[in-house]
């Protein structure tokens, strides 16, 4: 049977793969077997055929036995979800939103999207919120992932693209600082670029409180106290200045604001930074020697540096280091962010973020509003303004001034949101909750209506990977009977709510409209179409017209600011929002494991991945374990000011003695985000996932003391 070239549904690499349908008819696979097999696609440049375990097993979720196959509704007073027809389910959703608007006003409606949605879905979801519901209340789970790096990118460079260069450039650079990133486990096929870089003589510096698989391959591993990356970056810049490593010609010609950055850095001398971060002065000096001494270099951050209440300032401090040494806007050099979710990049470009219209246009700019309103055929004055960020939207759910009806599409905030027990209660307090998803996630279990969605291999649409490469996921098999695409859901809901035009369910038609809406914007897709993506294995934006070659490398001539210069920042270090104390003496940091993905709603349903990572755990140092009287596998209670989580101990010297680590993929008693702190970055509105204060006890002792 004919195979189909497409892409993995998981992380932002968007690795190329080929799907071959299995036979149908008599002797066809059982409902528990996937309808396609994965084959290598060595021609796609990002992964060149390599796939991690999640990619190889992705078809398992296409099997009917592990997914939703019919709409579900909850009858009033019953409390039980039952199967229903599509007509009944969609009527219930439309009625829920109509009643919320009639009783409480249009702003009582809310939409919560996901960084895994295709560009077409993200675009139409934003249009649905602003044209049909006429509500400002839309945001998405990418706010929990990329928002601090995005805010820093825009402030420093004038545009936000995760990597301003292709992944292949990593292999040619002289030195990489990886801050809060663990690609060996989170995106394994990307590790080849770092390996090739080191084989060519480049050096790798990893900054992480844990000795991860990535850190094991580093030439230098710095292990700061969680929450102190800003001080660390400032200390490195101090040494760059003090030791004469500035690229003064580059600073003068291509930047502005250096004096403010200099003042902030000089207040963070090496001994002070050692006291704050726990990283020795000798290691600080070695890091500067390696980075400043290389002819080219990059700083790449991920959630470890970004998910903080000062994440934007931290990223800007890393950008300062690149600018001060002339390692930006030049071949083989620059700052970049390793995006997490599959379409975390495109998902925020085209309208499901609370303050942005398609093409990175601004909701507060009259010209931007007029352009998008013209494409949509509406009066610009009818478009609502910016709404609250993701956590603030969820935190206000069911309250007098908050949303009363919510549509969640492709997200599972019951597991993924900070202070998750509180967010669960807020979702329960809604008058009406609808969820569109592939599986019955923990969030869907709370819903009044659950809509079964088609998956990546069953529908066509574009995503934008971490390089800014727009790629095409192509349908390989039709969805099973009873399942519809999210585009069809939005079309049907729009019609029921009085908008019968402007919501096509053909993805090519939606993408053509997206191109027009993005034209002239910062993220300009006007010159990209499906045929060109197929022919070129993806096209880098901005690409303003069909004759344009696309832009693999940004900033080589000028930055995207009005004067073409990059902006330094001058923020100093400040403590995390919650410091350890006598009651909560330890740092908790959270993250991922190789075999699971995000909230685990999909990967926890795949047997091979569960065998590799069956459940949550608490990683702690042997010295801490000895002090607590804890043995390997003992069930521990980890308690913060927001709640308690239970998981078995995993004792390892790979973590700092003052820190414990929990992965965040699981619901139930081991839910790590029960503990995490929703303190928000004032610029990006990113919650402080990566550090909070906790105490750790044996579970039995914790219960006895409760």
């Amino acid at each position: 049977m004919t195979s189909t070239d497409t892409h993995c549904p998981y992380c932002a690499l968007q690795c190329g793969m080929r799907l071959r349908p299995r036979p149908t008819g008599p002797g066809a696979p059982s409902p528990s077997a996937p309808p396609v097999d994965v084959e290598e696609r060595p021609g796609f440049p990002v992964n060149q055929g390599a796939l991690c375990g999640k990619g190889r097993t992705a078809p398992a979720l296409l099997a009917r036995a592990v997914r939703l196959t019919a709409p579900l509704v909850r009858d009033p007073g019953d409390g039980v979800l039952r199967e229903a027809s599509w007509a009944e389910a969609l009527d219930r959703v439309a009625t829920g939103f109509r009643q919320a608007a009639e009783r409480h006003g249009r702003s009582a409606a809310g939409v919560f999207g996901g960084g895994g949605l295709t560009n077409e879905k993200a675009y139409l979801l934003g249009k649905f919120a602003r044209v049909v519901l006429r509500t400002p209340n839309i945001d998405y789970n990418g706010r929990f992932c990329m928002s601090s790096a995005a805010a820093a990118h825009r402030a420093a460079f004038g545009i936000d693209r995760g990597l301003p260069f292709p992944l292949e450039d990593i292999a040619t650079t002289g030195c990489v600082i990886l801050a809060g990133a663990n690609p060996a486990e989170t995106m394994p096929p990307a590790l080849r670029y770092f390996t090739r870089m080191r084989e060519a003589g480049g050096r790798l510096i990893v900054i992480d409180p844990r000795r991860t698989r990535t850190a094991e391959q580093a030439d230098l591993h710095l292990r700061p106290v969680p929450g102190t990356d800003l001080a660390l970056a400032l200390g490195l810049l101090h040494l760059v200045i003090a030791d004469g490593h500035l690229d003064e010609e580059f600073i003068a010609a291509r930047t502005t604001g250096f004096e403010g950055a200099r003042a902030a850095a000089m207040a963070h001398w090496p001994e002070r930074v050692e006291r704050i971060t726990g990283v020795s002065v000798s290691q600080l000096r070695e890091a500067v020697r390696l980075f400043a001494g290389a002819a080219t270099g990059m700083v790449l951050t991920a959630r470890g540096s970004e998910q903080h209440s000062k994440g934007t300032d931290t990223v800007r401090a890393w950008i300062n280091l690149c600018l001060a040494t002339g390692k930006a806007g030049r071949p083989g050099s620059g700052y970049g962010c390793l995006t997490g979710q599959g379409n975390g990049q495109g998902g925020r470009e085209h309208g499901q973020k609370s303050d942005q219209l398609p093409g990175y246009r601004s909701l507060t700019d009259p010209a931007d509003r007029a352009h998008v309103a013209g494409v949509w055929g509406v009066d610009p004055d009818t478009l609502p303004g910016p709404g609250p960020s993701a956590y603030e939207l969820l935190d206000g759910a069911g309250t007098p001034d908050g949303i009363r009806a919510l549509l969640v599409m492709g997200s599972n905030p019951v597991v993924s949101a900070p202070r998750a027990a509180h967010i669960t209660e807020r979702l329960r307090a809604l008058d009406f909750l609808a969820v569109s998803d592939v599986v019955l996630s923990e969030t869907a279990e709370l819903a009044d209506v659950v809509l079964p969605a088609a998956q990546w291999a069953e529908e066509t649409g574009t995503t934008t990977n971490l390089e800014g490469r727009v790629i095409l996921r192509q349908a390989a098999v039709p969805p099973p009977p009873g399942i519809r695409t999210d585009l069809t859901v939005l079309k049907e809901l729009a019609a029921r709510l009085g908008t019968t035009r402007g919501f096509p369910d053909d993805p090519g038609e939606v993408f053509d409209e997206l191109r027009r809406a993005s034209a002239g914007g910062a993220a300009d897709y006007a010159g990209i179409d499906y045929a060109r993506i197929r022919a070129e294995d993806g096209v880098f934006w901005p690409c303003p017209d069909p004759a344009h070659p696309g832009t693999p490398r940004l900033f080589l001539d000028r930055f995207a600011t009005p004067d073409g210069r990059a902006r330094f920042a001058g923020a100093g270090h400040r403590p995390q929002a919650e410091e350890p104390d006598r009651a909560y003496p330890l740092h908790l940091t959270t993250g991922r494991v190789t075999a699971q993905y995000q909230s685990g709603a999909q990967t926890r349903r795949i047997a091979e991945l569960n065998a590799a990572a069956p459940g949550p755990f608490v990683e702690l140092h042997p010295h801490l374990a000895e002090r607590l009287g804890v043995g390997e596998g003992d069930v521990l209670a980890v308690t913060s000011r927001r709640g308690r989580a239970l998981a078995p101990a995993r004792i390892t010297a790979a973590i700092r003695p003052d820190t414990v680590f929990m992965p965040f993929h699981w619901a139930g008693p081991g839910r790590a985000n029960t503990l995490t702190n929703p303190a928000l970055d004032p610029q990006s509105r990113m919650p402080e996932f990566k550090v909070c204060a906790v105490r750790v006890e044996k579970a039995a002792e914790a219960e006895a003391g409760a």
Side-chain angles (χ1 to χ4, degrees):
M1 300 181 72
T2 303
S3 60
T4 301
D5 285 351
T6 190
H7 297 268
C8 178
Y10 292 116
C11 84
L13 288 180
Q14 289 297 277
C15 290
M17 60 169 58
R18 187 166 288 139
L19 299 181
R20 182 174 295 277
R22 292 181 172 182
T24 58
S30 71
S32 61
V36 296
D37 290 315
V38 169
E39 299 176 344
E40 287 189 0
R41 184 182 163 193
F44 186 65
V46 171
N47 63 309
Q48 299 170 344
L51 293 169
C52 72
K54 293 187 292 292
R56 286 188 296 97
T57 60
L61 206 68
L62 298 168
R64 289 181 59 87
V66 297
R67 65 188 295 182
L68 293 167
T69 56
L72 305 174
V73 301
R74 195 185 308 275
D75 293 322
D78 187 323
V80 178
L81 287 168
R82 62 167 173 83
E83 288 195 3
S85 69
W86 271 99
E88 180 186 6
L90 292 169
D91 286 346
R92 289 275 293 268
V93 177
T95 298
F97 278 102
R98 190 179 297 113
Q99 290 179 344
E102 290 170 352
R103 295 170 182 171
H104 306 287
R106 290 188 179 276
S107 292
V111 176
F112 195 86
L117 300 180
T118 63
N119 290 318
E120 291 80 358
K121 293 181 184 182
Y123 172 82
L124 213 63
L125 191 63
K127 184 179 179 181
F128 176 80
R130 292 172 176 120
V131 172
V132 178
L133 299 179
R134 304 254 312 262
T135 180
N137 293 313
I138 176 171
D139 212 65
Y140 80 127
N141 62 16
R143 178 77 68 171
F144 298 157
C145 178
M146 285 286 299
S147 56
S148 289
H153 251 128
R154 288 195 306 274
F157 302 133
I159 198 170
D160 161 30
R161 199 176 88 183
L163 294 182
F165 41 73
L167 277 163
E168 65 190 41
D169 285 8
I170 293 171
T172 66
T173 196
C175 182
V176 171
I177 295 177
L178 269 179
N182 182 17
E185 295 186 74
T186 59
M187 46 179 63
L191 198 65
R192 66 179 58 211
Y193 296 104
F194 299 95
T195 301
R196 284 166 47 194
M197 182 264 295
R198 294 189 68 222
E199 288 173 348
R203 310 300 288 273
L204 177 62
I205 302 169
V206 171
I207 298 168
D208 199 307
R210 304 168 61 225
R211 187 164 178 78
T212 62
R213 293 181 186 174
T214 304
E216 288 173 354
Q217 301 184 46
D219 298 285
L220 179 64
H221 177 202
L222 310 182
R223 303 175 70 169
V225 174
T228 64
D229 283 33
L230 176 53
L232 180 60
L234 289 163
L236 296 179
L237 181 56
H238 179 109
L239 287 170
V240 164
I241 296 169
D243 294 349
H245 295 301
L246 291 177
D247 188 330
E248 295 183 357
E249 182 179 347
F250 179 88
I251 293 169
R254 300 200 59 190
T255 74
T256 187
F258 176 64
E259 289 309 313
R262 179 198 290 272
M266 297 317 289
H268 293 77
W269 57 93
E271 291 76 14
R272 181 189 178 199
V273 171
E274 180 180 71
R275 289 195 299 272
I276 294 171
T277 67
V279 177
S280 69
V281 171
S282 62
Q283 285 189 310
L284 296 172
R285 293 190 180 281
E286 177 65 4
V288 169
R289 185 186 71 81
L290 293 175
F291 187 71
T296 55
M298 299 174 179
V299 176
L300 305 178
T301 67
R303 309 304 80 75
S305 265
E306 301 160 12
Q307 286 181 323
H308 296 274
S309 58
K310 53 181 181 292
T312 303
D313 286 341
T314 301
V315 173
R316 293 207 66 186
W318 289 121
I319 292 173
N320 285 352
L321 188 66
C322 291
L323 296 176
T325 54
K327 293 180 170 62
R330 290 173 169 171
S333 290
Y335 164 77
C337 168
L338 298 180
T339 310
Q341 296 189 79
N343 198 31
Q345 181 68 51
R348 66 184 183 278
E349 293 170 5
H350 296 300
Q352 65 174 334
K353 193 162 173 279
S354 66
D355 56 350
Q356 288 179 182
L357 291 167
Y360 275 151
R361 286 190 156 90
S362 170
L363 266 169
T364 59
D365 183 285
D368 285 354
R369 291 169 64 87
H371 174 86
V372 174
V375 174
W376 288 350
V378 301
D379 184 337
D381 291 340
T382 65
L383 297 179
S389 70
Y391 180 79
E392 293 164 303
L393 177 68
L394 298 173
D395 183 43
T399 65
D401 296 326
I403 56 170
R404 308 301 288 265
L406 178 65
L407 170 64
V408 176
M409 187 170 280
S411 186
N412 189 18
V414 164
V415 177
S416 64
R419 198 185 173 198
H422 168 73
I423 294 303
T424 302
E425 292 308 308
R426 297 279 27 98
L427 294 176
R428 292 184 190 278
L430 286 164
D431 297 343
F432 181 80
L433 173 63
V435 174
S436 177
D437 210 332
V438 170
V439 297
L440 191 66
S441 69
E442 288 75 17
T443 303
E445 289 175 355
L446 304 181
D448 298 288
V449 177
V450 183
L451 305 173
Q455 296 188 52
W456 58 285
E458 301 163 346
E459 57 184 355
T460 294
T462 61
T463 63
T464 306
N465 82 344
L466 76 171
E467 311 164 292
R469 185 195 301 260
V470 184
I471 56 96
L472 185 64
R473 291 184 189 166
Q474 300 189 102
V477 291
I483 291 173
R484 298 186 182 181
T485 69
D486 287 322
L487 295 181
T488 298
V489 167
L490 292 173
K491 176 182 179 178
E492 295 279 350
L493 289 177
R496 282 168 167 78
L497 291 167
T499 303
T500 57
R501 299 180 62 185
F503 284 84
D505 60 359
D506 176 75
E509 194 174 339
V510 177
F511 189 73
D512 284 343
E513 184 179 301
L514 180 159
R515 293 169 61 201
R516 297 195 303 274
S518 75
D524 192 334
Y525 283 31
I528 305 173
D529 59 29
Y530 284 7
R532 184 172 177 187
I533 295 171
R534 290 188 185 101
E536 299 178 21
D537 268 332
V539 182
F540 290 86
W541 69 261
C543 183
D545 63 72
H548 192 280
T551 314
R553 295 170 182 85
L554 297 171
F555 314 140
L556 296 183
D557 300 316
R558 68 189 309 275
F559 295 98
T561 55
D563 62 3
R565 292 171 174 262
R567 271 66 167 143
F568 278 96
H573 171 73
R574 58 187 183 275
Q576 57 262 34
E578 184 177 78
E579 294 276 5
D581 56 21
R582 291 183 65 183
Y584 302 95
L586 298 168
H587 302 278
L588 168 71
T589 191
T590 64
R592 287 173 48 188
V593 297
T594 307
Q596 301 288 354
Y597 182 72
Q598 304 299 77
S599 76
Q602 297 180 51
T603 51
R604 285 187 272 119
R605 288 168 167 81
I606 297 175
E608 181 178 330
L609 300 180
N610 277 334
F617 57 88
V618 182
E619 192 175 273
L620 70 165
H621 193 275
H623 293 168
L624 177 59
E626 182 179 7
R627 179 156 58 86
L628 297 175
V630 168
E632 182 75 17
D634 287 351
V635 178
L636 301 181
V638 183
T639 306
S640 77
R641 290 178 174 85
R642 290 152 294 281
R644 176 179 294 172
L646 303 175
R650 183 174 293 182
I651 301 172
T652 173
I655 193 163
R656 293 176 56 94
D658 58 3
T659 301
V660 295
F661 166 84
M662 291 186 71
F664 58 76
H665 309 291
W666 287 273
R671 181 175 60 184
N673 278 320
T674 297
L675 309 169
T676 49
N677 190 349
L680 300 179
D681 181 299
Q683 300 171 72
S684 68
R685 315 309 287 170
M686 164 72 83
E688 190 154 80
F689 284 100
K690 274 298 180 283
V691 61
C692 68
V694 297
R695 66 173 177 266
V696 178
E697 309 155 273
K698 286 186 176 180
E701 295 172 0
E703 290 301 317

